Structure formats: C-alpha cells, structure tokens
Amino acid sequence: MTAETITTVDTGATIHPRWVRICHWINALAILVMIGSGWQIYNASPLFDFVFPRQIALGNWLAGALLWHFAAMWLFVVNGLVYVLLGFATGRFRRKFVPIHAGEVVADVKAALTGHLAHDDLAVYNAVQKLLYVGVILAGAIIVLSGLAIWKPVQLQALTMLFGGYDAARYVHFIAMAAIAGFVAIHMVMTFVVPKSLRAMITGR
Ligand code: HEM
Ligand code: HEM
C-alpha cells in the first residue's frame, strides 16, 4: 500500500486515492473496447433479432473484433483483479459499499426520482450508488467467467457446464454486457449531473 492511501484515508482529504482513479480509468477504456468488439462479434452470428450498427462496433469484421476482444480482455481482467484485491485489502469496499439496506435503497430511489437525493458529500455513497457499484463489480465477475466458458469450452468444460452449456453461457455473457452497458449509461449521466464528481475521479478531490 502506498503512503498516500493511508494518509488520505486518515485525513479524509482525498475522496478517491490514486489507485482507485488509475484502475477506474483503465477499466473505462477496457470496457469500451470490450463492448465495441463484443458487438462486432455478436453481429457475425446474432443471438436476437437485431444487429448493432457497424459504426459503433469495433474491429471491422469478426476476426478483427476477436483480436480486440482478446487483447483488451487482459487489461480488463488484470486491472479488475488489482482493483478488487486493493478494495478488500485497504478496507475501501467495507467502508464505502456496505452495508446496503433495502429500505434505504427504496427511499433513495424515491428521493432521486423526485430530485431530492443529496450528493453533498462525495466521499459517502448513497444506497443506490452502493447497490449499483457492487452490482457492476459482480456483473464484471460474471462476464469474465462466462467469457472464459465460451472461449475455452473444451479445456474449461466444468465451468461451461456450470452455466448450463455453451449456448446458455453465451446468453449469460450477453446479458451481463447489457447490464454493464446500462450501468455505464446511467453512471455517465450522473457523473455530469452531480457537480464535482468527475473532478474527484480525475484529481482525487
Ligand atoms: C475474460 C473476459 C472475457 C472473455 C474471455 C470473453 C470471451 C468472449 C468470446 C470467446 C466471445 C465469442 C462468443 C462467440 O463466438 O459467439 C465473446 C463475445 C462477446 N463478448 Fe466477451 N469476453 C470477455 C469479456 C467481455 C466483456 C468485459 C464484455 C463487455 C462488457 C464482453 C462482451 C461481449 C459481447 C457483447 C459478445 C458478443 C456476444 C455473442 O454474440 O455471443 N465480453 N466474448
Ligand atoms: C467514461 C465513462 C465513465 C465516467 C465519466 C465515470 C465517472 C465516474 C465518477 C465521476 C465516479 C465517482 C462517482 C461518485 O462519486 O459516485 C465513478 C466511480 C465509479 N465508477 Fe465510473 N465512470 C465511467 C466509466 C465506468 C465504467 C465503464 C465502470 C464499470 C463498468 C465504472 C465503474 C465505477 C465504479 C465501480 C465506481 C466506484 C469506484 C470506487 O469508489 O471504488 N465507471 N465513475
């Protein structure tokens, strides 16, 4: 752990320590590439009745998209592991993300919908934020596991079977992507709505 992490937690001066900010922005980049290339892969053999517009799909064609997907995968997984390990080791997850009470989530959703949800202390997450952040981290774990299951269905047979087979794992992978994309859409709107939150994720304060 860096000295910075310890002093910032003690003094409360820094909202997001440097490791959170670095991991966060690497993750944002990796997710963009994973979703863009994933959409291109999807277009080559769609699961549903629609395809994604070519302009927003990455990699030009199936093989190109797979190269992007498997390259950014390493960035996404290694960076994600660093974030989760440090999240537990520094106690950040315990301090910031729990406990989550159902009653508070309902109250905060109501407050948010009527425009009364306060965001005055950026260092403290409300119940909806906690739920969404924990939720997206879990979705990240599911998308990695289901991705491994469809990448190596022979070597990782047990994992693929755990998802109910190759086809089911593909649906799980897709649904996890949809959940993450939905999160990112809401998350980006909130980032620009809540004053100073973007600055805090860039400069730390
Ligand atoms: C360890 C991480 C990952 C691995 C090993 C992985 C692996 C794969 C593989 C092998 C495919 C091709 C499936 C097929 O041939 O139909 C695929 C498709 C796809 N991936 Fe990933 N992936 C990972 C992470 C992600 C992430 C983080 C996202 C987005 C947030 C994502 C989104 C997609 C999408 C949208 C598709 C197309 C869905 C389909 O038509 O099956 N993947 N992935
Ligand atoms: C370019 C797009 C993005 C922007 C502008 C952005 C911005 C931000 C900001 C300003 C915060 C601090 C918000 C707060 O005070 O609640 C934050 C936190 C967070 N963001 Fe993002 N974000 C982006 C993409 C993502 C993506 C793709 C993910 C995951 C899929 C993500 C996951 C998170 C998580 C888990 C936190 C809480 C981190 C912690 O406190 O440890 N963000 N983001």
Side-chain angles (χ1 to χ4, degrees):
M1 231 42 47
T2 60
E4 186 216 31
T5 317
I6 295 159
T7 43
T8 53
V9 169
D10 286 347
T11 61
T14 299
I15 299 169
H16 305 300
R18 184 176 294 146
W19 65 267
V20 170
R21 287 176 277 139
I22 294 176
C23 287
H24 179 270
W25 293 116
I26 291 179
N27 176 67
L29 176 72
I31 282 279
L32 232 93
V33 176
M34 293 311 280
I35 293 182
S37 56
W39 287 351
Q40 185 80 253
I41 299 171
Y42 169 94
N43 282 356
S45 144
L47 284 167
F48 303 99
D49 237 2
F50 64 91
V51 290
F52 294 97
R54 280 190 62 94
Q55 296 83 347
I56 52 167
L58 186 73
N60 271 321
W61 59 308
L62 176 62
L66 281 168
L67 285 179
W68 276 106
H69 212 66
F70 293 136
M73 164 185 96
W74 294 103
L75 192 64
F76 177 70
V77 169
V78 172
N79 180 67
L81 282 176
V82 169
Y83 171 70
V84 169
L85 287 178
L86 285 177
F88 282 114
T90 60
R92 179 180 179 84
F93 284 176
R94 193 166 25 80
R95 278 194 312 275
K96 297 263 185 180
F97 293 160
V98 287
I100 306 174
H101 298 296
E104 282 176 28
V105 173
V106 174
D108 283 352
V109 168
K110 273 193 197 145
L113 291 177
T114 50
H116 293 302
L117 187 57
H119 281 92
D120 33 3
D121 185 353
L122 291 175
V124 179
Y125 292 141
N126 63 51
V128 177
Q129 279 174 300
K130 288 183 194 171
L131 188 69
L132 287 178
Y133 290 154
V134 171
V136 80
I137 292 169
L138 291 178
I142 292 172
I143 210 161
V144 169
L145 292 175
S146 58
L148 291 173
I150 52 181
W151 182 31
K152 301 279 179 199
V154 178
Q155 295 88 330
L156 302 174
Q157 239 173 60
L159 182 65
T160 311
M161 284 307 139
L162 204 67
F163 282 103
Y166 179 89
D167 291 319
R170 234 191 114 183
Y171 279 101
V172 171
H173 200 65
F174 187 92
I175 291 164
M177 177 282 294
I180 293 174
F183 164 87
V184 173
I186 297 173
H187 185 61
M188 284 179 65
V189 170
M190 291 312 292
T191 295
F192 293 102
V193 168
V194 179
K196 302 200 181 91
S197 65
L198 185 57
R199 191 186 73 184
M201 194 39 98
I202 296 169
T203 67
R205 299 157 194 268

